[in-house]
DNA sequence: TTCTAATATAATTGC
DNA sequence: GCAATTATATTAGT
C-alpha cells in the first residue's frame, strides 16, 4: 500500500503531512471547508498537529479549491466559445443563402413586373402595386443587408427600429409583426 | 539610491528581499528569465543573497509570470466571446428580418400569381413559370430555415454559475477514505 | 543516475 | 480570514 511515506513518519524537518493526515483533513473539508475553531483544535489533537497548522491547511485548501474552480470556468468558457463560433458560422452561411434567394426573387419579380406594366393590363391594379412595393422594399433592404459590418441596424419596414432591443438576446415575435405587415396606405413601402 | 526599504535594511529574520534586490532581479528577469548558473552566482554576490535564493527567486518569478499569462488569456477569451456573441446576435436578427421579408415576398407573389392564373392570362408564360418555381424554392428552404433551431440559445454561458457549490472540485481517493479513516459515528472526532 | 523544469504544499506577510 | 508570496518538497521529463 503505497510504500512512500514509509521512512520519515517521525520527525526530521518533516514538512508534508502524512497521507493519513491529509486524508482525514480532506474528509472534513468535504463537509466543512471552513471549520470552527473548536473543530480545528480537535483535529489538531487527533492528527498530532498544531491548531495553527490545521488552520493554515484549511486556508491553503480553500485557495486551491478556488484555483481549480477558476480553471474549470476557463475551460467552460473555452467550450462555450467554440460552440458559439460554430453556430455563428452556420448563421453566416444561412444568411448568405437567404440573401441569394432574395436577390433571385427580386430579379425575377422585377422582370415579371416589367412584363405586366408594359402590357397595359388594367386588371387587378392593386395586386400589381403590391408586387411593385415589395420589390422596392427588397431593394432598399438589400443595400443595408449586403453592406459589410451591418450592425444589426437592419431596417425592418414592419416595425419601429427603436423597438429592436440590442443585446438582450430576445427573439422578435414574428407573429406580432404579421399583424401589421401591410399597412393600409397604398404606398406604405415608401415611408 | 531610493531609500524605500525604510526600516529593516539589516538582517533580522527578514525574509522579503529589499526593493533594491527585487528591482535588480526584475531587471535581469526582463532579459533573462532563465539565467545561467554563473549569472545567478554573480547576482547573489552582488545582492548579498545566497545563490540558491536567487535560483529560487527566478523559479518563482517564472511561475508568477505564467500565472499572469493565464489571467491575461482568460480575459482575452472572455472578450472574444463577448464580441462573438454580439455578432451572432446581429446575425440572428438579420436572419429574422430576411426570413420575414422572404415570407412577405412569397405571400405577395403567390397572390399575384393567383390573380394572373385565374385571369387566364397567357402572355409571358415563361416568366410566370419562373416566378412559380421561385416560390416553391422559397418554401422548400423555408422548412429548414424556420425550424425552431434558429431560436437557439446563445444567450447565457454562465447560467449554471450560481448553482455551483462554493468549494467544490477536490479530488479525493474515495476508496481509501471509506477504508479506515472515516468513522460512521456522527461524533467521530471525539474518539 | 543526475539535473532541471514544473508543480504541490506548508508557512509568511500584509491588509 | 484571505490574497499574494516565499521557500521547500516532490514529481516528471530528458
Amino acid at each position: 500500500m503505497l510504500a512512500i511515506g514509509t521512512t520519515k513518519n517521525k520527525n526530521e524537518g518533516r514538512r508534508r503531512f502524512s497521507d493519513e493526515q491529509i486524508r482525514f483533513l480532506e474528509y472534513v473539508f468535504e463537509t466543512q471547508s471552513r471549520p470552527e475553531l473548536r473543530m480545528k483544535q480537535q483535529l489538531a489533537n487527533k492528527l498530532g498537529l498544531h491548531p495553527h497548522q490545521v488552520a493554515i491547511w484549511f486556508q491553503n485548501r480553500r485557495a486551491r479549491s478556488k484555483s481549480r474552480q477558476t480553471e474549470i470556468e476557463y475551460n467552460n468558457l473555452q467550450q462555450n466559445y467554440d460552440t458559439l463560433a460554430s453556430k455563428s458560422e452556420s448563421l453566416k452561411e444561412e444568411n448568405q443563402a437567404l440573401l441569394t434567394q432574395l436577390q433571385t426573387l427580386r430579379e425575377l419579380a422585377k422582370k415579371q413586373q416589367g412584363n405586366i406594366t408594359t402590357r397595359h393590363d388594367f386588371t387587378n391594379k392593386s395586386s400589381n402595386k403590391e408586387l411593385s412595393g415589395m420589390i422596392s422594399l427588397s431593394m432598399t433592404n438589400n443595400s443595408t443587408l449586403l453592406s459589410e459590418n451591418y450592425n444589426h441596424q437592419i431596417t425592418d419596414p414592419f416595425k419601429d427600429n427603436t423597438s429592436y432591443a440590442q443585446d438582450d438576446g430576445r427573439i422578435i415575435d414574428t407573429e406580432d409583426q404579421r399583424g401589421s405587415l401591410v399597412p393600409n396606405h397604398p404606398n406604405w413601402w415608401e415611408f
Side-chain angles (χ1 to χ4, degrees), chain A:
Chain A
M1 55 290 257
L2 294 177
I4 297 178
T6 49
T7 52
K8 52 282 197 68
N9 198 358
K10 303 288 178 202
N11 39 28
E12 316 189 35
R14 186 154 118 290
R15 290 193 143 275
R16 304 289 252 244
F17 297 160
S18 71
D19 288 359
E20 276 287 308
Q21 291 170 321
I22 296 292
R23 230 172 301 159
F24 213 100
L25 288 168
E26 288 287 357
Y27 172 74
V28 176
F29 183 82
E30 207 174 335
T31 307
Q32 299 176 265
S33 63
R34 192 188 298 181
E36 303 282 334
L37 174 60
R38 187 97 191 113
M39 170 67 97
K40 289 179 205 162
Q41 290 173 329
Q42 290 176 334
L43 273 174
N45 182 54
K46 181 176 183 65
L47 300 175
L49 296 170
H50 293 288
H52 183 62
Q53 285 180 295
V54 175
I56 292 295
W57 186 89
F58 274 90
Q59 201 166 308
N60 284 324
R61 186 63 186 74
R62 284 194 294 273
R64 260 174 272 152
S65 180
K66 187 178 179 181
S67 182
R68 291 178 202 172
Q69 192 57 38
T70 299
E71 175 88 19
I72 291 173
E73 279 174 21
Y74 182 84
N75 291 333
N76 281 343
L77 182 57
Q78 181 98 49
Q79 184 131 27
N80 288 332
Y81 181 86
D82 292 343
T83 302
L84 183 57
S86 175
K87 283 184 180 174
S88 197
E89 198 51 41
S90 300
L91 281 174
K92 264 189 204 168
E93 290 174 13
E94 190 176 321
N95 246 343
Q96 195 52 53
L98 287 171
L99 280 172
T100 302
Q101 242 184 287
L102 271 179
Q103 195 114 18
T104 306
L105 272 172
R106 270 206 318 280
E107 283 171 19
L108 292 178
K110 196 173 187 178
K111 193 187 296 177
Q112 169 100 357
Q113 185 198 30
N115 292 330
I116 291 173
T117 53
T118 51
R119 278 191 294 108
H120 300 287
D121 185 14
F122 296 102
T123 56
N124 246 298
K125 273 181 180 171
S126 63
S127 187
N128 285 341
K129 245 183 182 166
E130 278 187 274
L131 182 56
S132 174
M134 176 188 77
I135 292 169
S136 63
L137 163 69
S138 293
M139 296 299 276
T140 301
N141 256 345
N142 190 40
S143 62
T144 301
L145 294 168
L146 281 183
S147 70
E148 299 297 323
N149 301 335
Y150 36 77
N151 297 327
H152 57 60
Q153 279 288 38
I154 305 158
T155 46
D156 190 339
F158 310 119
K159 210 170 181 184
D160 301 333
N161 285 338
T162 52
S163 66
Y164 262 95
Q166 35 189 359
D167 280 327
D168 57 358
R170 193 173 46 77
I171 305 299
I172 300 161
D173 190 358
T174 329
E175 300 308 318
D176 278 353
Q177 292 177 34
R178 210 167 272 292
S180 59
L181 260 183
V182 181
N184 291 327
H185 196 288
N187 295 324
W188 55 267
W189 61 83
E190 293 184 348
F191 290 93

